[in-house]
Amino acid sequence: MEAKTQLSLLTLNTFGVPFFAPDITKRYKYIAQEINHGSYDIVCLQELFSYYNFYLFKKRLSSFPYVAYHKNILGPRGGLAIFSKYQLSEQEFFTYTHPANATIPFYTKIAQNGMLSATVKDFALKLCTTHLSSDLEHDLTSKNKLYKLIRSQSEEAARQMNKYSQKSPAVIVMGDFNIGKYSELYKSFLSTTQAKDIFAKEEAVTYYFNRFKYLYTAHTSTVIDYMFLKTVSKKLTITKNAQVLTEPVRFAGGKKSYLSDHNGLHCILQVNK
């Protein structure tokens, strides 16, 4: 009988917008606690825009000895980091380009949005996390001033996934795409990559605009977080997928709060070796 190995993956946008996101330190400590108590093997986090917030996780996720990120001026490039219990190799950061005549918000210029990737050798898996530029409308049309930028980023993300799939038998890209499910950009990504949306059958919202009051917020709650899998191996299957970190918590002192304006996505990959 073939040996079966499972890999538990989590992706979460941590709601780390500098100066605007409330209770970052309290929320991050609680998120780290929940991750430590969970059964996750690899965790992909977005919106870690400052080194202070990044080190809050690095200090507390002591059971995740392998960390992938690339340096930027204020924090990890793209706000992206991967924490893993398995050794990571071939770490790479692809920075999305700025198309000509496109509107480029100041926060995009600072964050340097892109795709962070690493190889999980034990599973012959190329793991990627990304965060496309934020926008107030997730069902974008060409009339939106940021459409050209986000379309370009989603196209580059698709090309990177295809590039990695040429060398790896399995590629997974997860994170906050800021494009709505069933939107033209979503359909185009799937068509270009021929990847599988691990949560394709799920309709539950992943982003909630009304969980927090702050300056920058979208207009609707919708699905914008994804896990996309592309594999040529029939030995790799999904045995579980679920939204996690969905409920409000109570901090010391009594304040009640959600941990993020996004839910986390969790899946288990089973590899039949």
Side-chain angles (χ1 to χ4, degrees):
M1 180 179 294
E2 291 184 320
K4 294 182 179 180
T5 304
Q6 291 187 332
L7 185 66
S8 177
L9 304 174
L10 168 69
T11 181
L12 175 69
N13 180 319
T14 64
F15 187 37
V17 181
F19 310 114
F20 298 116
D23 300 313
I24 286 182
T25 299
K26 291 181 180 179
R27 288 189 295 105
Y28 280 15
K29 289 180 178 179
Y30 209 107
I31 292 171
Q33 174 182 300
E34 292 298 293
I35 291 174
N36 283 329
H37 291 166
S39 59
Y40 311 114
D41 297 313
I42 301 179
V43 177
C44 294
L45 300 179
Q46 300 96 48
E47 290 200 3
L48 296 184
F49 290 124
S50 76
Y51 286 114
Y52 170 72
N53 293 333
F54 169 70
Y55 286 118
L56 281 177
F57 280 105
K58 190 174 182 181
K59 178 181 179 180
R60 285 168 173 77
L61 297 181
S62 56
S63 59
F64 294 78
Y66 304 103
V67 183
Y69 75 102
H70 278 237
K71 292 183 178 180
N72 200 9
I73 297 174
L74 303 177
R77 185 174 295 274
L80 304 175
I82 301 173
F83 294 84
S84 176
K85 294 179 179 179
Y86 292 91
Q87 185 174 358
L88 302 173
S89 63
E90 300 175 329
Q91 296 181 28
E92 178 181 320
F93 192 96
F94 176 82
T95 303
Y96 297 136
T97 60
H98 296 165
N101 302 318
T103 300
I104 314 297
F106 74 93
Y107 51 79
T108 295
K109 295 178 180 178
I110 295 173
Q112 296 291 298
N113 296 83
M115 180 182 290
L116 175 66
S117 64
T119 297
V120 190
K121 279 189 173 182
D122 292 346
F123 296 86
L125 171 69
K126 189 68 172 181
L127 182 71
C128 314
T129 185
T130 190
H131 185 198
L132 275 58
S133 188
S134 299
D135 180 67
L136 296 179
E137 298 177 18
H138 298 123
D139 190 4
L140 293 168
T141 69
S142 58
K143 296 180 181 180
N144 187 299
K145 65 180 181 179
L146 295 182
Y147 176 79
K148 191 171 185 179
L149 171 65
I150 297 176
R151 181 186 65 184
S152 175
Q153 291 179 347
S154 64
E155 290 173 347
E156 288 186 310
R159 287 197 291 271
Q160 284 300 113
M161 188 175 200
N162 285 340
K163 173 186 172 183
Y164 293 139
S165 69
Q166 294 175 4
K167 296 182 179 181
S168 177
V171 180
I172 186 167
V173 178
M174 62 183 79
D176 179 359
F177 278 70
N178 275 310
I179 56 177
K181 194 170 185 179
Y182 308 123
S183 67
E184 288 305 312
L185 295 183
Y186 170 86
K187 294 175 183 176
S188 177
F189 183 90
L190 290 179
S191 175
T192 300
T193 61
Q194 293 297 300
K196 173 185 179 181
D197 178 356
I198 293 176
F199 285 76
K201 296 181 180 180
E202 305 294 329
E203 300 296 336
V205 168
T206 66
Y207 164 78
Y208 294 81
F209 80 98
N210 55 356
R211 282 184 176 178
F212 298 90
K213 292 183 178 179
Y214 73 113
L215 181 64
Y216 185 87
T217 185
H219 303 309
T220 58
S221 298
T222 188
V223 179
I224 56 175
D225 303 271
Y226 303 100
M227 287 181 161
F228 296 115
L229 172 66
K230 183 173 184 177
T231 179
V232 297
S233 172
K234 295 182 179 180
K235 294 182 179 180
L236 191 150
T237 56
I238 307 296
T239 62
K240 177 182 179 181
N241 65 286
Q243 292 196 19
V244 295
L245 307 177
T246 61
E247 300 300 321
V249 301
R250 195 172 298 278
F251 300 135
K255 183 176 181 179
K256 195 174 183 180
S257 172
Y258 284 94
L259 295 175
S260 174
D261 52 354
H262 293 249
N263 288 344
L265 299 183
H266 172 229
C267 81
I268 295 179
L269 301 179
Q270 181 170 290
V271 182
N272 302 311
K273 295 187 176 181

